Amino acid sequence: MKGISYSEFRIESKYVSSQFDLNKFHYHFSNFGFINIYPSRYVYSLYYDDSRLTAIKENLAGISSRRKYRLRWYSLDKKDFYGSQFEIKFKKGNCNSKKIFNFNDEFDVNNSDFSINSIFKSLQNKKSSYDLIKAGNLSPRIICRYKRKYYENSNGYRITIDTDLKFLGLAYLNKIDIDSNWRSSNINILELKFNPSEYLNLVDLIKKFPLTSTRCSKYVLANSVLYGVSYL
């Protein structure tokens, strides 16, 4: 469908690590044939939520079927931006998929109010954007920025490693190029991504990981870092 694409449902096993643990992870998954497949880049995710922070509440409650709305774009140098797209991420049980909305032109993140209305006006395919229209009660909340590295092995299993996590609150959404406005987290997040049918093929790899998988939402983490809220 023009202007809209979909990803297949997949499992995303997350591991939260320190730099020391990350070095052990590198050694471990390289033994399973994982190699770097893309240049590392900065990923920006702007999360949307309603006034009741429903997305956070549903995450903390462990609601098995939920949605997450975000605007995503990329950069190699934290100055020049590209690849902007709006995403709705669907979670069903332990699986995730995405509906991706493409823009007519590159979305101007330096000159936007980031409202859902602005997003809608910039889409290639407005007729097929009913899911976005339903999101009209959502507002931009937080930007998360991190440096992502991409790995894959010969079987097509993927690993991403996110480091240098930083967060920006609502008051600074139009000042994303000023580093001093960002708040940092000292954790790293590794994700192993695979089709649910392939789980048994990955048991040996997963068992030998130096840490166990855990739930970790960057949106929830951002609220904790920015506003000192503890969700434990």
Side-chain angles (χ1 to χ4, degrees):
M1 186 180 298
K2 183 180 178 182
I4 296 177
S5 59
Y6 300 83
S7 68
E8 295 182 353
F9 273 98
R10 67 184 182 185
I11 294 175
E12 299 175 351
S13 293
K14 296 184 180 182
Y15 302 82
V16 176
S17 75
S18 64
Q19 186 59 46
F20 175 74
D21 292 324
L22 195 57
N23 292 335
K24 292 194 292 183
F25 267 115
H26 272 288
Y27 174 79
H28 175 64
F29 66 70
S30 64
N31 290 333
F32 283 80
F34 284 88
I35 60 173
N36 191 280
I37 56 169
Y38 299 119
S40 60
R41 59 183 177 177
Y42 290 96
V43 180
Y44 292 75
S45 293
L46 171 55
Y47 294 98
Y48 291 75
D49 208 344
D50 59 25
S51 59
R52 300 174 62 187
L53 301 181
T54 298
I56 290 181
K57 293 176 181 177
E58 289 185 347
N59 179 283
L60 296 174
I63 303 299
S64 60
S65 181
R66 59 183 188 266
R67 297 180 176 195
K68 180 164 56 181
Y69 298 81
R70 68 190 180 196
L71 175 65
R72 173 165 283 190
W73 66 93
Y74 304 91
S75 176
L76 299 177
D77 57 7
K78 296 185 287 187
K79 294 181 180 179
D80 297 317
F81 306 123
Y82 68 94
S84 55
Q85 58 192 34
F86 192 84
E87 302 176 350
I88 302 177
K89 191 168 186 178
F90 302 91
K91 184 173 182 61
K92 292 185 178 180
N94 63 345
C95 295
N96 301 276
S97 71
K98 290 189 294 187
K99 183 175 182 179
I100 301 169
F101 300 84
N102 298 307
F103 296 109
N104 285 316
D105 300 298
E106 189 68 30
F107 191 80
D108 188 359
V109 298
N110 289 311
N111 296 286
S112 174
D113 62 3
F114 295 108
S115 66
I116 291 293
N117 188 51
S118 294
I119 298 293
F120 183 74
K121 288 180 179 179
S122 302
L123 294 179
Q124 287 184 11
N125 190 334
K126 296 180 176 63
K127 293 182 179 179
S128 300
S129 304
Y130 179 68
D131 283 321
L132 197 55
I133 296 173
K134 291 194 298 183
N137 66 320
L138 305 181
S139 301
R141 294 290 172 180
I142 283 172
I143 297 180
C144 174
R145 184 186 78 196
Y146 48 89
K147 191 172 187 179
R148 171 163 283 187
K149 295 181 179 180
Y150 302 82
Y151 300 85
E152 191 172 304
N153 71 359
S154 59
N155 294 317
Y157 307 137
R158 291 182 56 202
I159 288 176
T160 58
I161 298 178
D162 299 334
T163 60
D164 191 23
L165 273 72
K166 295 184 183 295
F167 310 107
L168 195 68
L170 184 62
Y172 299 100
L173 291 185
N174 291 110
K175 300 177 182 179
I176 59 178
D177 59 335
I178 303 175
D179 271 348
S180 60
N181 291 332
W182 295 80
R183 297 284 299 277
S184 301
S185 170
N186 59 2
I187 70 169
N188 306 296
I189 300 175
L190 181 147
E191 293 185 40
L192 174 64
K193 305 174 182 184
F194 55 94
N195 187 288
S197 64
E198 298 169 333
Y199 175 77
L200 292 179
N201 298 328
L202 291 163
V203 169
D204 191 41
L205 169 66
I206 293 172
K207 282 184 176 180
K208 292 181 179 179
F209 269 5
L211 295 171
T212 56
S213 62
T214 184
R215 292 173 58 196
C216 183
S217 163
K218 293 186 180 75
Y219 177 46
V220 174
L221 176 62
N223 275 274
S224 178
V225 170
L226 289 170
Y227 307 121
V229 180
S230 175
Y231 294 107
L232 298 179

